Amino acid sequence: MLKNFLKITLRNLFKNKLYSAINIMGLSIGIVCSILIWLWVSDELSFDKFIPKYKNLHQVWVHATFDNKINTWQSIPLPTYEAMKTAHSSVVNSVVTGWGGDRLLTVDDTRLLKRGYYASEEFLEMFEYPLLSGDPAIVLDDPHSIVISESLAQTLFKNEDPLGQVIRFEDQVNLNVTGILKDVPANSSFEFEFLVPWKQREMLSEWVVRNKTNWGNYSFQVFVELNDEKAQGAVDEAIATMLADNGEDDMPRTLFLHPLGKWRLHSNFINGEIKEGRNDHVKLFSVIAIFILIIACINFMNLATARSERRAREVGIRKSLGSTRKYLILQFIGESLIISLISFVLAVLLAELVLPAYNNLVDKSLFINYKSLEFWQIGLGIVFITGVLSGSYPAFYLSSFRPVETLKGTIKIGKGATSPRKVLVVMQFGFSILLLVSTVVIFRQIELVKDRDLGYDQSNLISVDYSDELAENYDVLKNQLLQSGAVDAVTRSNSRITSINSNNFLSWPGKPKNLKVIFTTISTEYDYTKTMGIDVLHGRDFSKEFVTDTSAIVINKAALDLMGLEDPIGTTLDLWGDKRQLIGVVDNVIMGSPYKEVKPMFMIVNPDWINAITVRLKNNNNLNENLKTVEAIFDRYNPAYPFDYQFADVEFQRKFDTINMTQRLATIFSLLAIFITGLGLFGLASFTAEQRTKEIGIRKVLGASITGLIALMSKDFSKLVLIGFVLSAPITWYLLDQYLDRYPIRVDVQWWIFPVIGVIALIFSLLIVGNQALRVARSNPATSLRDE
């Protein structure tokens, strides 16, 4: 029976080459899209799951109620690290880390800036990143130890045994290699190439030591391991009042555990509640994959039912020879499954061809793992679902024909076949219009945010990480940079202009007692506004001419609007219990998320609280020469470190990586969806035109014009497109409005987008249908009427 199935299927495929090609091509493209999206979604869902105890690992976060809402963040006081160990019987252990950053590693003449973490000795026992050499229980015990990745070991020591080798760390201390890590997978929330003991950080930083008992400094990351994943609720209850119990009772603050399994996709908190976050993109692309598969399946169903009249006699003969309806259903679904299998094989080959470009687009290293049971389960699942879904309606419809009518040739293919086809075409265009409108709206959202006034001049602005040597030589470094002819201005601050590293509370005259507002905090020195290109709206910037500026303060326009000060200059503000005189108001600057309103901000002078130097290069045509000049000066006063700089405009553009990827993928998949729709419409229009050849011949003989005949054949398809548009428009508007609500700065879903996309879809369909109609309308009626 299987041999017979296969023979009939192949015979039908070769007999109807055009429709077979349309079916296979449409299904292949649909499956390719599904495979590519599945690879991306699977990678997102796999984050951290390679860690054996990932279900039992959590990070300690805090809810704090102020500014009339619940604010949530992951930085907490350092004493929490030790307190968590005895907070509840379900807590096995705790770990403290310093968030990773690029640090200097030196071996002989090799100088590298690599990303790493300070971590307490429990880190590798809890997170169980695999070690190629060393015991995870002890490798971080010695303050003068360092654990490095396999790749870093090869880079630094080539073929030598790295264990016991010495690495100069941050040009301050020598560390001994005590362990070799297997390279950290790309789907890890922690990205690092080395680990340094937390004890070493305490030795290098008096600030860390001072904060070991300070419950008021929220600058540290603490993680815990539970002995039972179900114990989270009990531990949350036990630690809820830990901050208040230790003096942090000026506002409602609650500690809670955030599971490792939610870090990647569910870390977006709004008013204390998780609001999906990156998981929204997983859902979005999963839905797109389903839509495209459905569109591809609709093509098959439409063409199969449209051609049912040609197979009616075959059904009649089979039934007269004893075939049951069940057998016929199996026959037609079997044909569909074979076509689906052929399409799947072709889709896998196409996926392999486009994967390099796709990886570049999504910034991942995805690949098809043919040894993975999951791949074959999902792949064969797609084959089965698309095969059954595509072939189910044609199978049940064709098998219902009565043999007497089919053999007499009296069977009529009427509403039983055309009505479902119309519904399916309406669905196709509805999905396609939804995807096209979404692409346009997401593009407009990106452009809106990119066109916002940044409040500063990004051009020719570079930042360089701070170091002890730069701190010692800053004044002479700045003078030589300004005298070099390559630089217009230089400043230093606690964060780059494209990021926010600190937030604090500030009081002002007339502030309501219960009002708590968090301010972006910039610690700087002089020439900050000049270097960044920020407008001073009232008063002045900090200046060396005024020795009292070390106790002065500058705020931004958002802060002024919040305070409601009519004559702000000279106002006394309260910061950390100290009085500071307000000397200036600057324009709002977008430092954090470009999708949000600018937060209130203040600046103070504090040369001891600095993390970056910012340099504005001369605005001329010698950018490369200017960079070489600046590099030479930095090398002179910071010789231990390689000259590593970042352009402000490049750093800012990285804030759009996720939404840019969303827009590009949505555009590509939308175009593929409309292509698949057009492919099916071409096949359906071609077959419809072929069926109406005699009718067209008669109409031509009776005097119908070619234009009239084209309009006649295009009318039915046009109605379907318009119905699809009318049905999908309100659904599309609602879904997009919900999606855009995540952005405080957002576009409205403009009404004009819908008719524009509707007209484009209509023109697209008319071009396809009209082309087939024109072919038939131009044919000689004598040929089509010869046998009448």
Side-chain angles (χ1 to χ4, degrees):
M1 185 175 69
L2 292 175
K3 181 179 179 182
N4 190 45
F5 275 179
L6 184 60
K7 185 186 295 183
I8 293 172
T9 301
L10 294 176
R11 184 184 298 161
N12 281 318
L13 286 176
F14 286 107
K15 184 178 179 181
N16 304 282
K17 295 182 179 64
L18 175 62
Y19 302 110
S20 298
I22 290 174
N23 273 333
I24 292 173
M25 188 182 300
L27 278 177
S28 294
I29 295 174
I31 295 173
V32 165
C33 294
S34 300
I35 289 174
L36 295 178
I37 291 175
W38 170 74
L39 288 173
W40 184 85
V41 168
S42 179
D43 183 74
E44 291 292 318
L45 294 175
S46 71
F47 262 70
D48 299 312
K49 289 186 178 179
F50 64 89
I51 297 175
K53 295 184 289 192
Y54 88 96
K55 290 184 178 180
N56 293 55
L57 301 180
H58 301 71
Q59 184 173 11
V60 185
W61 284 46
V62 62
H63 289 313
T65 302
F66 59 87
D67 200 13
N68 298 317
K69 63 182 178 181
I70 300 174
N71 300 270
T72 305
W73 60 79
Q74 58 195 7
S75 295
I76 61 175
L78 181 55
T80 310
Y81 161 53
E82 292 293 345
M84 286 302 302
K85 294 182 178 181
T86 57
H88 192 274
S89 58
S90 295
V91 177
V92 177
N93 218 332
S94 66
V95 160
V96 62
T97 72
W99 276 129
D102 288 342
R103 306 288 180 180
L104 177 65
L105 303 177
T106 306
V107 175
D108 298 328
D109 294 330
T110 302
R111 298 179 301 161
L112 299 174
L113 287 172
K114 291 295 182 180
R115 183 178 179 85
Y117 286 92
Y118 289 108
S120 58
E121 58 268 24
E122 307 91 350
F123 184 85
L124 289 173
E125 290 183 88
M126 276 178 52
F127 286 94
E128 296 186 304
Y129 286 92
L131 281 170
L132 299 177
S133 301
D135 183 349
I138 62 173
V139 287
L140 293 174
D141 286 355
D142 184 351
H144 291 87
S145 62
I146 184 171
V147 178
I148 62 177
S149 70
E150 184 179 12
S151 296
L152 182 56
Q154 177 63 32
T155 301
L156 290 174
F157 303 110
K158 302 299 185 281
N159 297 321
E160 295 181 43
D161 182 4
L163 289 181
Q165 298 278 5
V166 176
I167 296 176
R168 184 74 175 169
F169 179 67
E170 289 286 89
D171 200 37
Q172 291 179 303
V173 61
N174 292 331
L175 303 178
N176 298 310
V177 178
T178 56
I180 307 299
L181 278 164
K182 188 175 181 181
D183 288 342
V184 176
N187 59 344
S188 169
S189 294
F190 287 99
E191 298 177 21
F192 60 93
E193 291 195 64
F194 69 88
L195 295 171
V196 172
W198 185 261
K199 294 175 183 176
Q200 181 58 234
R201 189 180 190 192
E202 293 179 350
M203 295 173 67
L204 293 174
S205 174
E206 293 182 5
W207 174 80
V208 173
V209 175
R210 289 198 304 268
N211 280 290
K212 290 182 73 172
T213 57
N214 181 5
W215 285 91
N217 190 328
Y218 292 75
S219 301
F220 304 89
Q221 319 297 321
V222 174
F223 308 87
V224 298
E225 176 190 344
L226 306 184
N227 57 19
D228 182 0
E229 62 182 279
K230 297 179 182 178
Q232 180 188 344
V235 177
D236 281 348
E237 186 176 344
I239 66 175
T241 61
M242 184 179 288
L243 294 174
D245 294 342
N246 287 278
E248 292 294 292
D249 54 1
D250 57 327
M251 68 179 73
R253 305 182 202 227
T254 304
L255 292 181
F256 68 99
L257 300 184
H258 190 47
L260 173 60
K262 292 186 177 181
W263 292 359
R264 176 69 174 180
L265 301 179
H266 305 275
S267 288
N268 180 33
F269 285 83
I270 298 178
N271 202 25
E273 299 291 333
I274 292 178
K275 297 298 182 183
E276 294 300 341
R278 197 173 179 87
N279 193 52
D280 282 354
H281 294 93
V282 170
K283 291 181 177 179
L284 172 66
F285 289 116
S286 297
V287 169
I288 289 176
I290 293 171
F291 278 1
I292 292 176
L293 260 184
I294 290 175
I295 289 172
C297 291
I298 286 173
N299 282 351
F300 185 97
M301 297 170 72
N302 276 342
L303 289 176
T305 52
R307 296 178 58 248
S308 57
E309 186 174 5
R310 290 195 170 185
R311 301 198 67 177
R313 191 176 299 275
E314 175 191 339
V315 171
I317 294 172
R318 286 178 175 275
K319 281 194 170 184
S320 66
L321 294 175
S323 291
T324 63
R325 187 179 185 189
K326 179 180 178 180
Y327 177 88
L328 290 171
I329 290 173
L330 290 175
Q331 167 69 45
F332 291 121
I333 290 181
E335 290 183 15
S336 179
L337 285 170
I338 291 174
I339 292 174
S340 181
L341 182 60
I342 294 171
S343 300
F344 176 75
V345 173
L346 182 59
V348 171
L349 295 175
L350 290 173
E352 289 287 3
L353 288 175
V354 301
L355 257 178
Y358 183 69
N359 278 328
N360 185 58
L361 186 67
V362 300
D363 193 25
K364 290 181 181 286
S365 298
L366 305 175
F367 64 95
I368 300 175
N369 182 7
Y370 296 102
K371 296 180 181 179
S372 168
L373 179 61
E374 183 183 13
F375 169 74
W376 291 111
Q377 288 174 334
I378 292 177
L380 294 178
I382 290 175
V383 170
F384 181 78
I385 292 172
T386 55
V388 172
L389 187 64
S390 302
S392 57
Y393 180 76
F396 284 99
Y397 179 69
L398 288 170
S399 64
S400 67
F401 292 166
R402 295 180 180 178
V404 175
E405 293 177 348
T406 56
L407 293 176
K408 284 183 177 180
T410 58
I411 190 168
K412 300 297 180 183
I413 308 299
K415 291 185 178 179
T418 58
S419 295
R421 283 209 305 274
K422 291 178 180 178
V423 172
L424 293 175
V425 171
V426 167
M427 288 177 60
Q428 273 189 315
F429 275 96
F431 288 152
S432 298
I433 288 168
L434 186 153
L435 291 174
L436 288 172
V437 172
S438 300
T439 300
V440 173
V441 171
I442 293 173
F443 175 78
R444 292 187 66 244
Q445 172 68 17
I446 294 172
E447 291 305 304
L448 170 72
V449 177
K450 286 184 176 179
D451 289 342
R452 289 182 68 191
D453 182 10
L454 300 178
Y456 70 102
D457 182 9
Q458 284 187 337
S459 61
N460 299 310
L461 202 63
I462 65 170
S463 60
V464 180
D465 287 339
Y466 213 48
S467 70
D468 289 344
E469 286 188 329
L470 288 176
E472 293 173 6
N473 298 299
Y474 176 72
D475 289 334
V476 64
L477 171 82
K478 180 175 180 178
N479 288 332
Q480 291 206 12
L481 286 171
L482 294 174
Q483 294 170 9
S484 68
V487 171
D488 277 333
V490 181
T491 192
R492 53 179 172 172
S493 59
N494 66 329
S495 62
R496 299 173 184 170
I497 189 70
T498 53
S499 63
I500 298 172
N501 288 350
S502 181
N503 296 278
N504 291 276
F505 295 104
L506 182 68
S507 294
W508 61 92
K511 183 182 81 67
K513 185 176 181 180
N514 295 327
L515 178 63
K516 291 281 187 179
V517 180
I518 200 160
F519 286 71
T520 298
T521 305
I522 302 297
S523 172
T524 182
E525 198 175 21
Y526 308 109
D527 298 327
Y528 187 83
T529 57
K530 176 183 176 182
T531 305
M532 303 301 181
I534 302 172
D535 290 335
V536 179
L537 305 180
H538 304 284
R540 61 178 178 83
D541 192 6
F542 302 114
S543 172
K544 284 184 177 181
E545 298 177 7
F546 299 88
V547 294
T548 57
D549 277 4
T550 54
S551 60
I553 193 168
V554 173
I555 63 174
N556 68 350
K557 185 176 182 298
L560 179 64
D561 293 340
L562 171 70
M563 296 174 182
L565 303 175
E566 294 183 3
D567 187 15
I569 305 305
T571 302
T572 300
L573 307 181
D574 188 293
L575 174 64
W576 306 321
D578 296 330
K579 304 299 181 182
R580 289 180 177 264
Q581 186 179 54
L582 179 60
I583 63 170
V585 178
V586 299
D587 202 0
N588 290 335
V589 175
I590 298 176
M591 298 179 180
S593 171
Y595 311 106
K596 297 180 181 179
E597 296 286 357
V598 175
K599 294 168 57 177
M601 180 270 288
F602 68 81
M603 298 192 299
I604 59 173
V605 172
N606 187 347
D608 296 327
W609 186 13
I610 300 295
N611 290 314
I613 294 176
T614 303
V615 177
R616 179 169 295 282
L617 302 173
K618 288 282 186 182
N619 187 16
N620 52 38
N621 295 325
N622 298 316
L623 178 61
N624 290 332
E625 290 300 320
N626 291 340
L627 282 172
K628 289 180 180 179
T629 300
V630 171
E631 180 179 5
I633 296 172
F634 268 91
D635 285 345
R636 188 180 309 151
Y637 296 103
N638 195 36
Y641 286 76
F643 182 60
D644 186 55
Y645 61 91
Q646 292 78 34
F647 278 97
D649 52 355
V650 175
E651 289 283 299
F652 182 75
Q653 288 303 315
R654 288 176 183 158
K655 297 176 183 288
F656 299 97
D657 283 351
T658 299
I659 196 170
N660 276 335
M661 182 203 69
T662 302
Q663 190 265 335
R664 287 193 295 265
L665 289 181
T667 301
I668 291 171
F669 291 131
S670 297
L671 293 176
L672 288 174
I674 198 70
F675 174 77
I676 296 171
T677 300
L679 201 63
L681 192 61
F682 171 82
L684 198 57
S686 176
F687 188 81
T688 302
E690 184 179 330
Q691 279 192 316
R692 300 183 69 175
T693 301
K694 290 185 175 64
E695 175 193 344
I696 299 299
I698 294 171
R699 289 181 180 275
K700 286 189 73 174
V701 169
L702 294 177
S705 65
I706 291 179
T707 304
L709 293 172
I710 294 174
L712 175 69
M713 296 186 64
S714 302
K715 182 176 65 175
D716 289 341
F717 287 101
S718 300
K719 288 179 181 178
L720 300 180
V721 175
L722 292 174
I723 293 172
F725 168 76
V726 170
L727 293 177
S728 70
I731 298 173
T732 302
W733 181 89
Y734 173 78
L735 293 175
L736 285 172
D737 191 61
Q738 293 294 307
Y739 174 78
L740 291 171
D741 269 348
R742 70 175 64 202
Y743 303 113
I745 303 295
R746 51 157 287 183
V747 295
D748 292 324
V749 184
Q750 298 288 341
W751 66 268
W752 58 264
I753 298 174
F754 292 91
V756 169
I757 296 298
V759 169
I760 291 173
L762 182 61
I763 292 173
F764 176 73
S765 64
L766 289 177
L767 288 173
I768 294 173
V769 176
N771 178 65
Q772 295 302 307
L774 179 63
R775 179 177 61 82
V776 176
R778 282 180 171 177
S779 63
N780 189 345
T783 303
S784 59
L785 299 176
R786 185 177 298 157
D787 58 346
E788 293 296 323

